[in-house]
Amino acid sequence: MKLAVYGTLRDGSDRLGYIADTALVFPGHHRFPAMIHYEGGEGTTVEIHEIDSETLAAYDRYEGVAAGIYQRTRMKVTMADGTTLEAWVYLAGEKLLAQSASFIAISGGDWFER
């Protein structure tokens, strides 16, 4: 299965894509980013990783899905060559969204270019 990663999980892969109508933000600090759904947002640059269900479950634990820090959902990714695919991605969960008043946008939506 495919996982779209945009922040600290990126490893420099050249399998790059873009998720429209999102914004990449610092959620009240500058240690790691969060992606939020934001109609008309700049969009977010992602890497596509091929993973198995065991690895996905491990990422769910790492990202704090059960605690509401992130939520995992499927989104459309437009790849650099113009093709599209669907991939799992972690969006800010209810605990991060509760801090939205202190979000700072990461201009350009690319964690590596911040």
Side-chain angles (χ1 to χ4, degrees):
M1 68 188 73
K2 292 174 177 36
L3 177 67
V5 299
Y6 52 80
T8 59
L9 298 179
R10 285 183 64 184
D11 62 12
S13 167
D14 62 357
R15 292 200 58 206
L16 294 177
Y18 173 82
I19 300 178
D21 294 325
T22 62
L24 194 59
V25 299
F26 286 117
H29 56 72
H30 288 83
R31 293 185 306 268
F32 57 82
M35 187 171 74
I36 59 172
H37 182 262
Y38 181 62
E39 198 70 35
E42 283 189 86
T44 304
T45 298
V46 297
E47 290 177 5
I48 300 299
H49 294 194
E50 291 287 341
I51 60 169
D52 58 29
S53 57
E54 187 175 301
T55 302
L56 186 62
Y59 281 137
D60 282 356
R61 289 187 297 277
Y62 176 78
E63 297 292 352
V65 171
I69 298 170
Y70 285 90
Q71 63 178 342
R72 178 170 47 91
T73 190
R74 292 184 61 81
M75 296 189 82
K76 183 175 104 174
V77 179
T78 302
M79 299 301 292
D81 66 3
T83 60
T84 61
L85 56 87
E86 288 224 343
W88 289 112
V89 65
Y90 292 98
L91 293 174
E94 61 187 43
K95 287 202 176 170
L96 287 180
L97 290 173
Q99 302 173 36
S100 64
S102 62
F103 283 178
I104 300 168
I106 299 171
S107 183
D110 189 337
W111 178 248
F112 281 8
E113 299 296 323
R114 67 188 185 289

